[in-house]
Amino acid sequence: MKTNLKFRRVAAIGAGMTPFRRRMLETPQEMAWEASRRALDEAGLELRDIDCVVIGSAPDAFDGVHMKGEYLAHGAGGVMRPSSRVYVGGATGVMTAIAGWYHVASGMCKKVLAVAEEKMSTGRPHPQAVFRYIWDPITEKPLNPNLIWIFAMEMHRYMFVNKVSKEEIALVSVKNKRNAASNPYAQLGGEITVDDVLRSEVLVWPVQLLDVSPVSDGAAAMVFVDGDIARRYTDTPIWVEGVGWTLDNTSWPNRELAYPRYLENAARMAYRMAGIERPQKEIDVVEPYDPFDYKELHHLEGLMLAKRGEAPLLLKEGFFDKDGDIPSSPSGGLLGVGNPIAAAGLMKVISIYWQLKGTAGKMQVKRPVHTGVAQAWGDLMQASTVMVMRN
């Protein structure tokens, strides 16, 4: 896509999160405010300094409240100022950051607070029940599918086309849970083995329990400001250099599931804006969306950080380890940190922001990093969002 629009330069100057946990006692509004307060503190701002608020949240039913954007506005600081909600399923978290970017890049706002929240544990009997109504009523609903079923089909297709074993895919869970052990916000960090993954409960073959991210509650927030004023608040602004998003059609049974073309399109849009021509040579750290372990490999290929079918081999060689050539999910990803859907996507952006700022603590990768990419994915395996940041 080519435009003749002139964007204002945009910097991230603050970020904050709640811990990701199951059955948090705080209300969604309280979690949104806790994350917002932390982001404002890091930016050195008060809520009265914020011009606009962007709120991201996936299906209303998780929190048991319809019109959730309006509901969360109280906790996200959105009352009595321009506020809006974005929603593209699992891709919402990175889209929240993108919406924060374009509020500033357009010149409409100087300082934007972007807040993403999800409380999945209130879904009964299980959050999967919330997705009962996303299917085509004629061609799909009579089969009574759920999301794990269709992701099992996608995982199986990826394994079949690329001749990938379950053992190779399980290495993603092992890596991400190990990385999450260094993340104070993480729900399920720790040391596990490939055998632990292979012996875990089979949900829908080939998906097993430890292939999947947990049910989580949590919130995340970031502050984006006009580039002209960023250095008033910090000596180390992190610049948003490229954004991209794409929505494929909903006819997932007719698509080649082994490769995420929707993500390649979104990544090409973001890379073109950031001037990236050779992603594997120019990107230092990446946070791909990993609600399932195979999805990290799938998405690394869609981001063109590995050739089609090559990601499992590179993973096995340590290329994507925390001390590898391109550390992938140094935060621990959704598999280790947790998956409150919209907040999980914004967590990916925050992880890259902290890595580039050099304030990631025990999560900090060892080699110098200057360019990072965060990505999220959602809806009926059709939406993807990408953000490129530099220090």
Side-chain angles (χ1 to χ4, degrees), residues 172-390:
V172 176
S173 271
V174 173
K175 171 180 70 69
N176 288 5
K177 290 184 187 298
R178 182 177 61 234
N179 288 348
S182 301
N183 188 335
Y185 299 96
Q187 181 176 347
L188 282 181
E191 294 289 343
I192 64 168
T193 66
V194 168
D195 283 344
D196 290 331
V197 180
L198 299 182
R199 287 200 299 263
S200 63
E201 179 185 355
V202 175
L203 302 180
V204 181
W205 185 256
V207 175
Q208 294 176 257
L209 186 62
L210 290 180
D211 292 314
V212 186
S213 56
V215 173
S216 314
D217 302 340
M222 293 187 76
V223 177
F224 295 97
V225 301
D226 188 300
D228 287 349
I229 63 171
R231 293 193 187 278
R232 294 181 192 172
Y233 304 101
T234 178
D235 293 330
T236 56
I238 302 303
W239 303 99
V240 180
E241 298 283 354
V243 297
W245 64 96
T246 303
L247 189 69
D248 206 331
N249 64 59
T250 57
S251 299
W252 57 271
N254 298 329
R255 277 191 260 136
E256 172 51 87
L257 299 180
Y259 185 74
R261 66 174 184 174
Y262 50 84
L263 171 53
E264 180 180 330
N265 291 344
R268 287 189 183 281
M269 177 180 169
Y271 294 165
R272 188 161 47 247
M273 190 181 299
I276 292 173
E277 297 179 350
R278 300 178 301 164
Q280 199 183 63
K281 299 292 184 186
E282 298 177 53
I283 291 168
D284 302 312
V285 59
V286 62
E287 285 280 353
Y289 204 63
D290 60 320
F292 296 75
D293 45 11
Y294 81 95
K295 287 303 294 187
E296 176 157 320
L297 303 170
H298 203 232
H299 287 154
L300 287 168
E301 293 171 13
L303 286 165
M304 294 167 280
L305 298 176
K307 297 175 183 174
R308 294 190 187 198
E310 184 188 40
L313 176 61
L314 292 179
L315 174 70
K316 199 172 178 179
E317 293 175 345
F319 189 87
F320 297 118
D321 285 351
K322 197 171 170 182
D323 57 355
D325 292 66
I326 303 179
S328 179
S329 296
S331 67
L334 280 58
L335 290 162
V337 186
N339 187 13
I341 299 179
L346 193 56
M347 178 273 290
K348 290 280 185 180
V349 183
I350 290 173
S351 172
I352 293 298
Y353 164 76
W354 282 336
Q355 289 289 342
L356 297 175
K357 203 174 179 71
T359 58
K362 293 181 179 178
M363 296 179 283
Q364 190 72 42
V365 302
K366 293 180 180 176
R367 62 197 300 264
V369 289
H370 301 291
T371 301
V373 171
Q375 176 256 328
W377 158 82
D379 286 349
L380 277 172
M381 303 189 288
Q382 66 188 126
S384 202
T385 46
V386 177
M387 177 170 278
V388 179
M389 305 176 84
R390 288 198 178 102

